[in-house]
Amino acid sequence: TTINSAQMHQPDNVETTALGAAGLAAALGMAGLLLSQRDTTDFSAGASLKAGEAAPAFTLALQGGGNFALADRNGKPLLLNFFASWCLPCRDEMPAIEKISREYRAKGVAFVGVAVDDTQAGLREFTARYGVSFPVGLDKAAAIRNSFGLAGVPTTYFIDRKGIVSHFHSGAVTE
């Protein structure tokens, strides 16, 4: 049998099918691995605001109207959560933060959420999906994010009655 050059460069259908299936399986396996990974990046090294420092003054326009000003919290301790609707760890943590907010609001702790790198529509959908009952707003100009030196989301700051950052946590909060 004589084989011409065109036939030499054409794999048979069995090889093509096997290679295609192997490639697809590898791609699906990699996608599954990436989707199953949690964001474990420690952003604390890049944050400019540290525990023991005064929280920067800010005013946040709230979803649904009104404003939240750090200066107006009347000496209440504050849990300040930076998040984004597109952030998978933020989605994971929000049910826990919502549950904690319902428990601790009655004990005098204020809760505020600041959406960063997001849209009003994304914020509305996110808060509706997770039943967020505490005040939230969109940091449209990134002024609040920048004043806190935020390096990533989710990040949560615990601010004491005197306005001092007592602790902050980069990454998803759990119960």
Side-chain angles (χ1 to χ4, degrees):
T1 308
T2 306
I3 299 174
N4 66 34
S5 63
Q7 289 172 321
M8 287 177 50
H9 296 320
Q10 254 183 349
D12 67 16
N13 285 340
V14 173
E15 283 181 4
T16 303
T17 303
L19 289 174
L24 179 60
L28 289 174
M30 182 58 75
L33 178 65
L34 291 173
L35 289 173
S36 69
Q37 298 297 307
R38 292 237 184 252
D39 181 4
T40 58
T41 305
D42 180 11
F43 296 112
S44 60
S48 63
L49 186 66
K50 305 288 186 210
E53 296 179 348
F58 70 88
T59 300
L60 176 66
L62 298 175
Q63 176 179 282
N67 292 312
F68 173 85
L70 184 63
D72 295 341
R73 72 185 201 300
N74 299 321
K76 289 183 178 181
L78 172 68
L79 182 141
L80 181 64
N81 178 252
F82 288 91
F83 69 95
S85 64
W86 47 263
C87 164
L88 295 179
C90 300
R91 293 176 186 176
D92 289 343
E93 80 170 355
M94 194 51 70
I97 291 178
E98 175 59 28
K99 181 179 177 186
I100 293 166
S101 78
R102 290 176 188 254
E103 180 181 342
Y104 282 89
R105 239 180 309 182
K107 297 176 182 181
V109 178
F111 285 75
V112 174
V114 180
V116 298
D117 296 329
D118 218 323
T119 64
Q120 286 291 351
L123 176 59
R124 277 192 304 275
E125 193 272 359
F126 184 88
T127 56
R129 176 187 297 168
Y130 296 103
V132 177
S133 62
F134 53 88
V136 296
L138 179 61
D139 184 16
K140 292 179 186 177
I144 301 168
R145 177 187 69 192
N146 292 341
S147 70
F148 275 79
L150 195 68
V153 292
T155 299
T156 303
Y157 288 86
F158 302 91
I159 301 170
D160 70 15
R161 296 176 191 281
K162 296 177 184 175
I164 305 297
V165 174
S166 60
H167 178 76
F168 76 97
H169 177 78
S170 295
V173 171
T174 58
E175 286 185 55

